[in-house]
Amino acid sequence: MTHQLAAENYLLHHRLITGAQLERARRLALLWQGDLPIVLWKIGLIDLATLASLIDL
């Protein structure tokens, strides 16, 4: 399982973001050429503690 897929599963399983929010963040990650967890944090969908959890996955 890739790190991004693990992060997506974690976020959706714990209901931290919706599917629509995830899709928006995926598009921005491609546009900005960034990692999904960083993009989610930059646009305010996750807090710093959640970002740290995702990095540790």
Side-chain angles (χ1 to χ4, degrees):
M1 181 180 302
T2 67
H3 182 263
Q4 181 168 327
L5 185 56
E8 291 175 8
N9 288 336
Y10 177 87
L11 292 165
L12 292 172
H13 177 75
H14 293 284
R15 297 179 186 216
L16 298 173
I17 63 172
T18 66
Q21 290 170 323
L22 178 58
E23 185 56 38
R24 177 176 177 237
R26 282 182 190 146
R27 287 193 306 269
L28 288 173
L30 286 173
L31 180 67
W32 296 347
Q33 297 179 356
D35 291 330
L36 182 66
I38 300 296
V39 171
L40 288 164
W41 177 67
K42 282 186 174 183
I43 62 176
L45 292 179
I46 61 172
D47 61 16
L48 193 54
T50 305
L51 175 62
S53 295
L54 294 175
I55 290 171
D56 290 338
L57 287 178

